Amino acid sequence: MNKFFQRFLPVILLVMLCSFTALHKFYVGIYQVNYIPKKKEIQITARIFIDDLEKALEKKHKKKLYLATPKEIVETDGFIKSYLSEKLQVEVNKSQKTLKFLGKEVEDNVLICYLTAPVQERIVTMTITNSVLTEIYPDQQNIVHANVSGIKKTLLLTDDEPEGDLEF
């Protein structure tokens, strides 16, 4: 009987731990910010879980969106554009930049959104505010990777700390 427990206790513990972690979802969004000197613009690629974004947009607009399905409603791109402009801001050298929503595509269960903003001057500082999905999920973490003139920096933005500063 003692050998039975020695052999199967680790298996039982592993099964219990796996079932516990399956109950707790991890809320994260990944944002890549690149400065393209030839185009004099920053380009942002946002990777957001479709079901999470859909929940936030449906709560805000009181409509079923069917995001990333054949039944997706016509207003969806406008809703995403409006939502991202409200929740995601970029300031370069203390000057607020207006982000232009270029479009979106689907990759598995992730919505990839593309945004851009003109930047004529050399980037010395960048302030990023990202509160995407934090109104729905207080545990949401938005990871921002920035690449400016070959210098790479990363920010971890949360509900408690939605803004971060970078120096280049």
Side-chain angles (χ1 to χ4, degrees), residues 3-151:
K3 286 186 179 186
F4 174 80
F5 281 114
Q6 286 179 347
R7 283 192 181 161
F8 291 105
L9 186 60
V11 174
I12 293 168
L13 288 174
L14 181 63
V15 169
M16 288 174 52
L17 284 173
C18 289
S19 63
F20 174 74
T21 57
L23 295 174
H24 181 66
K25 188 175 176 187
F26 187 67
Y27 301 105
V28 66
I30 307 290
Y31 300 78
Q32 180 66 49
V33 180
N34 293 323
Y35 174 62
I36 311 301
K38 288 183 182 178
K39 294 186 176 186
K40 293 192 182 265
E41 69 180 14
I42 54 172
Q43 297 176 348
I44 301 174
T45 304
R47 295 176 176 273
I48 308 166
F49 284 107
I50 293 169
D51 58 335
D52 296 339
L53 182 59
E54 183 173 52
K55 183 176 181 180
L57 293 173
E58 287 177 353
K59 181 179 180 184
K60 181 175 180 158
H61 296 284
K62 311 285 189 256
K63 285 187 173 188
K64 184 75 177 140
L65 302 181
Y66 304 101
L67 190 56
T69 72
K71 293 170 35 176
E72 182 176 292
I73 66 171
V74 177
E75 301 97 333
T76 301
D77 279 4
F79 290 163
I80 294 170
K81 177 183 176 180
S82 172
Y83 181 78
L84 289 177
S85 70
E86 175 187 325
K87 299 289 185 173
L88 179 64
Q89 289 94 38
V90 177
E91 209 177 88
V92 173
N93 303 335
K94 307 281 185 210
S95 172
Q96 185 71 38
K97 298 300 175 185
T98 301
L99 298 176
K100 179 182 177 187
F101 178 75
L102 299 176
K104 67 184 187 326
E105 65 180 334
V106 176
E107 185 178 280
D108 297 323
N109 59 345
V110 173
L111 191 70
I112 304 170
C113 299
Y114 300 99
L115 304 107
T116 187
V119 177
Q120 300 302 317
E121 68 274 17
R122 180 179 164 269
I123 298 176
V124 177
T125 63
M126 188 181 293
T127 300
I128 298 173
T129 304
N130 188 335
S131 59
V132 173
L133 300 178
T134 58
E135 76 281 9
I136 300 293
Y137 304 110
D139 293 340
Q140 174 75 21
Q141 296 181 336
N142 292 312
I143 300 168
V144 180
H145 299 292
N147 185 350
V148 175
S149 303
I151 300 170

